[in-house]
Structures are given as structure tokens and as C-alpha cells.
Amino acid sequence: MANLLVTGGAGFIGGNFVHYWNAHHPDDAVIVLDALTYAGNRSTIAGAPNAELAVGDIRDQELVERLLRDRDIAAIVHFAAESHVDRSITGPDAFIDTNILGTNSLLKAARSVWLEGDGKPHRFHHISTDEVFGSLGADDPAFSETTPYAPNSPYSASKAASDHLVRAYHHTYGLEVTTSNCSNNYGPYQYPEKLIPLFLLNALSGKPLPIYGDGMNVRDWLHVEDHCRGIEACIERGVPGETYNIGGGAELPNMAVIDTICAEVDRAFQEVDGLAERFPNAPAARGERSECLKTFVTDRAGHDRRYAIDETKARSELGYTANHSFEEGLRTTLRWYLDNEDWWLPLKAKP
């Protein structure tokens, strides 16, 4: 690939991908298309040397076509999406607009330029989620690429619809597409409404740690750098028209994740000088345990009980395996947030 268009590249996973691609493909130009909504931040990609930000909406087909032609784009890596389940429950319209209509607009632009225009080699890689598969029982086998779709939230339903559109553009028009369905991501640059950064930062500020229901909902946790490696493998070695599950190999109940967060915050206050002065409201600053902040709240409407990823196909066909253990990945994530207060502090002030 020579030039990439990365939609949503100023967001969490997209921003990490921009940094990853710059580091591993330094000769490639990366054009980031991002509307800079609440979850998109210029500062996330400020240090990426070969990245250029184009502020705009993926629903603007004319803009996308112009970028594809003018920048000689060979691949679209499509991250742009509304992704927070709680927001989809209170306001589903934005999820329909961005995740379905936005993806369709991108596909139309790609078809116009790549298939009806110059006919150049290309790749449209679509990032999706394991949530499209619905909820698993405790003894059910993990999600595979052939698991039937059964989305249970407006967010997952909108992503399922976008997955079907991507597949249809391949089978109907011949667009060279791949799709990856990932598990729960965590790592640097994650907006602090998500579980891990929310609980990390709440523990530092002495705020409650709100636990849905009984805290035993199970997720597979994927460090964002491993996810970026998986996407790279899909782009470089994935078969057009195929989907690949990308997981982290860390299937854990939420309570275990929260306990690990509390333990790592407490450890950091023992090992890192000056934290008590920087975060005086943290229980750990007073020698107390962060777990005292745990607070059980009413469960999320329609809360899926368990997700799990079977990544056999990605491992056997793409050579993908996760490199980060959950404990090591969470520890480095906490240290990143401790070292980058200037990035997340303004976000905490947003409504």
C-alpha cells in the first residue's frame, strides 16, 4: 500500500492505528478523515509524522471521492463509528446516521473511484465488533466467523447493518473488501467513557466505580496494539470478501477487570513518586484500597452477558496472535494515562 485513508483516525482505535502504521510503514502517507466529534481529538495524532488530517464527514461522498482521487488512495481503513452502547440506548439516531449511512456513503465513493474510475488495485477494510453476534451463554462456544448475527443494542444492530453492506458491495460489485470483528479494546488514547479508562481515572480522582448489575458480564479484552497488528494482517494477507475475528485471548468477567484496575492503581501509588500529591483524592493517596470505591448500579438495558472470540481463522490464515497479556497491557495502559494527563484532563471536563 502507498497511501491510506483512515476514517475516524483521530479516535481511539483509529488513532492508535495511525501511529502503528507510521511506525511500521514509514514510507506510506496516511490521510485521516475525521469529523472530530466528542470522541475525536487532533492531539491523538499530533505526533504522527506522515499523517494528514482532513476534517470532514464520511457521509460526504463528494469529499471522499476527491480524497481518493487527489491523494491516490490505495486503501480505506474504516474505523469511523459511533461506538458507545449507553449512548446508542439514549440516542440511536446518530448510530444509524454514522454507522449505516456513513458506511454506505464510503462504499459508494470507493465503487465510483476504484471500480467505475481508474480500476486500480485497492482494499476497503472495515472494522466491526463482536457485539454483532449477540450474547453467549456460560457454556456456549466462542464467536467464530460463521456465528449467526443477533445484535441486541442499537449500536450493535447498526454495526451489523454496516457489515452486511460491506459484504454486499464485494459480492454485488466486486469491491475488494475485508472485515474484522474485534473484542473489547483498551489502551492509550481511549475516551474516558469506556470501562477501563473511566475506572482508572475515577480511582485516581476518588469517584465511584459504577458496576452494572452483578459485575459478572464477561468480555474478551484486546490491547489496541494487538488489534492494530491484526488489522495490518487483514490488509496485507486477508482474502477479499472474508471476515476475520481479532481477539485478545483474555476472557474475563467485569469484576475481575475492575479488581485488576484497583490493584494496579494501588501498586502505582507505591511505586511512582509524587502520585499522592498529583491525585490527593485517590484512596490510594491515603493508603486505602481503591476497591472501596466500588458501587453497584442498575444494569444496562439489554446488557449482553458474555462475549468470547474464536480467533482460529486469523491465527491460521493471517498468522495473528495477541502479544499482550491482560495484566501487562493494563499496567502499561495505566502508566500511559499517568504520563499523559494533558491529553485526558480536557476530555474529563467535557459534558
Side-chain angles (χ1 to χ4, degrees):
M1 298 299 174
N3 297 333
L4 281 73
L5 179 66
V6 179
T7 71
F12 164 47
I13 307 176
N16 275 279
F17 178 80
V18 168
H19 286 288
Y20 178 90
W21 199 268
N22 267 192
H24 293 83
H25 305 268
D27 295 330
D28 291 357
V30 177
I31 294 84
V32 172
L33 177 60
D34 200 296
L36 296 182
T37 60
Y38 78 96
N41 296 281
R42 293 176 185 269
S43 59
T44 296
I45 55 172
N50 295 332
E52 175 186 347
L53 175 63
V55 179
D57 196 310
I58 59 172
R59 294 172 294 176
D60 187 343
Q61 183 179 341
E62 182 179 348
L63 169 61
V64 175
E65 289 186 17
R66 186 166 64 250
L67 289 172
L68 294 180
R69 292 192 182 100
D70 293 351
R71 303 308 172 87
D72 194 27
I73 300 295
I76 296 174
V77 189
H78 178 32
F79 294 94
E82 296 286 345
S83 65
H84 192 45
V85 175
D86 287 351
R87 289 178 183 260
S88 83
I89 293 170
T90 57
D93 288 0
F95 291 73
I96 305 304
D97 289 343
T98 298
N99 299 354
I100 301 177
L101 300 181
T103 299
N104 187 53
S105 182
L106 280 176
L107 290 164
K108 289 193 294 183
R111 179 191 174 202
S112 175
V113 174
W114 288 338
L115 299 183
E116 299 172 355
D118 54 26
K120 68 181 293 179
H122 62 269
R123 176 60 60 91
F124 187 111
H125 183 72
H126 175 60
I127 287 83
S128 188
T129 171
D130 58 0
E131 296 191 39
V132 299
F133 300 119
S135 184
L136 292 169
D139 299 321
D140 289 340
F143 300 134
S144 74
E145 289 78 3
T146 60
T147 300
Y149 276 27
N152 290 320
S153 70
Y155 161 61
S156 57
S158 68
K159 288 299 289 183
S162 68
D163 293 3
H164 291 320
L165 282 169
V166 172
R167 182 180 187 276
Y169 267 74
H170 172 72
H171 287 276
T172 301
Y173 304 115
L175 196 67
E176 300 274 306
V177 308
T178 43
T179 295
S180 54
N181 295 80
C182 69
S183 55
N184 280 35
N185 279 227
Y186 69 99
Y189 299 110
Q190 189 168 26
Y191 194 81
E193 68 186 356
K194 301 291 190 174
L195 189 152
I196 285 179
L198 174 67
F199 279 49
L200 285 175
L201 300 183
N202 278 13
L204 292 174
S205 58
K207 295 181 178 179
L209 307 180
I211 302 167
Y212 280 134
D214 62 0
M216 297 307 291
N217 299 75
V218 174
R219 300 293 183 264
D220 175 75
W221 291 93
L222 170 65
H223 191 279
V224 67
E225 184 180 80
D226 285 330
H227 189 191
C228 291
R229 290 176 44 253
I231 295 167
E232 177 188 45
C234 290
I235 294 170
E236 294 183 340
R237 299 185 292 280
V239 176
E242 292 295 311
T243 64
Y244 300 92
N245 283 352
I246 307 296
E251 186 182 339
L252 297 166
N254 286 345
M255 190 62 75
V257 173
I258 294 162
D259 287 342
T260 304
I261 291 170
C262 291
E264 287 301 328
V265 169
D266 294 347
R267 178 202 297 266
F269 272 82
Q270 296 175 358
E271 297 179 352
V272 180
D273 292 337
L275 284 190
E277 290 74 22
R278 289 172 57 193
F279 304 104
N281 294 324
R286 305 185 297 272
E288 301 175 10
R289 298 175 67 174
S290 298
E291 64 180 16
C292 72
L293 298 172
K294 290 180 183 177
T295 304
F296 289 91
V297 299
T298 302
D299 204 359
R300 168 192 286 163
H303 200 178
D304 289 340
R305 189 63 172 175
R306 172 177 170 247
Y307 304 148
I309 283 280
D310 179 351
E311 60 188 40
T312 301
K313 182 178 178 180
R315 183 168 58 251
S316 60
E317 296 186 13
L318 305 179
Y320 167 80
T321 55
N323 285 344
H324 293 269
S325 69
F326 180 73
E327 292 75 13
E328 174 265 331
L330 183 63
R331 185 168 301 144
T332 59
T333 297
L334 168 60
R335 297 306 168 96
W336 185 89
Y337 279 92
L338 291 176
D339 293 340
N340 291 274
E341 190 174 358
D342 57 339
W343 181 86
W344 57 261
L345 196 58
L347 302 183
K348 293 289 285 182
K350 287 186 177 182

